[in-house]
Amino acid sequence: MSTESHVTPEPIRFDTKIAVLLREDLEPWQRLNVTAFLVSGLGTQVPEVIGEPYEDADGVPYLPMFRQPVLVFEGTKETLTAAHARVLSRALPRAVFTSDLFSTGNDRDNRAAVRAVSTGELDLVGIAVYGPRNAVDKVVKGARMHP
């Protein structure tokens, strides 16, 4: 008879959160595209969000990914505008995607399109934010989980 105790480990709880907020009127392909673009910026500026590389049983290596889930929310244009103001006031790491970026085809033109518009006039279709859980919750207040 085994005396080993099988204890289920406690779930990992993160004190930080990665959230993406999408405008609710986007087409499905736009939602996927915007989400992918937005989260791609976080790992470059906030390296602690990236976990260890993966490897399968045959030893084939894979790129590391975020160490924690990405929560995706949706809201109205007004919700995004308010969230943008809150993320700026809290100085949290963030990425933005504006409607203008749907008509550009490369990084240089994307950056130029954002640079051409003042902060208060950005036509936001998505925001990504990383930071302490409570701060991120306050930024996305009024949004709902993406279905």
Side-chain angles (χ1 to χ4, degrees):
M1 177 174 224
S2 173
T3 59
E4 288 183 37
S5 172
H6 294 290
V7 177
T8 304
E10 290 290 318
I12 296 174
R13 303 249 184 244
F14 296 98
D15 57 351
T16 57
K17 186 179 272 188
I18 298 170
V20 172
L21 175 55
L22 302 172
R23 202 165 74 193
E24 65 187 2
D25 62 348
L26 296 179
E27 294 293 326
W29 73 266
Q30 291 174 316
R31 291 170 185 256
L32 295 170
N33 183 269
V34 170
T35 300
F37 268 91
L38 287 171
V39 298
S40 71
L42 290 177
T44 64
Q45 297 299 306
V46 190
E48 65 268 20
V49 301
I50 304 296
E52 295 296 318
Y54 286 75
E55 183 176 292
D56 66 25
D58 295 322
V60 176
Y62 301 94
L63 294 173
M65 297 184 282
F66 290 131
R67 65 182 179 92
Q68 65 191 91
V70 176
L71 301 173
V72 181
F73 298 86
E74 69 175 5
T76 63
K77 182 175 183 170
E78 294 76 21
T79 301
L80 261 82
T81 299
H84 185 242
R86 289 190 292 264
V87 76
L88 293 177
S89 73
R90 287 172 172 77
L92 295 172
R94 72 252 171 207
V96 296
F97 197 105
T98 66
S99 63
D100 296 328
L101 303 188
F102 290 127
S103 63
T104 60
N106 61 74
D107 185 53
R108 183 191 66 234
D109 292 341
N110 285 351
R111 286 182 284 109
V114 173
R115 190 180 313 110
V117 181
S118 65
T119 305
E121 300 301 315
L122 292 171
D123 185 15
L124 298 167
V125 297
I127 299 172
V129 59
Y130 170 77
R133 262 194 336 235
N134 291 343
V136 172
D137 287 343
K138 289 176 183 171
V139 167
V140 299
K141 183 179 179 181
R144 59 193 171 281
M145 288 296 292
H146 190 280

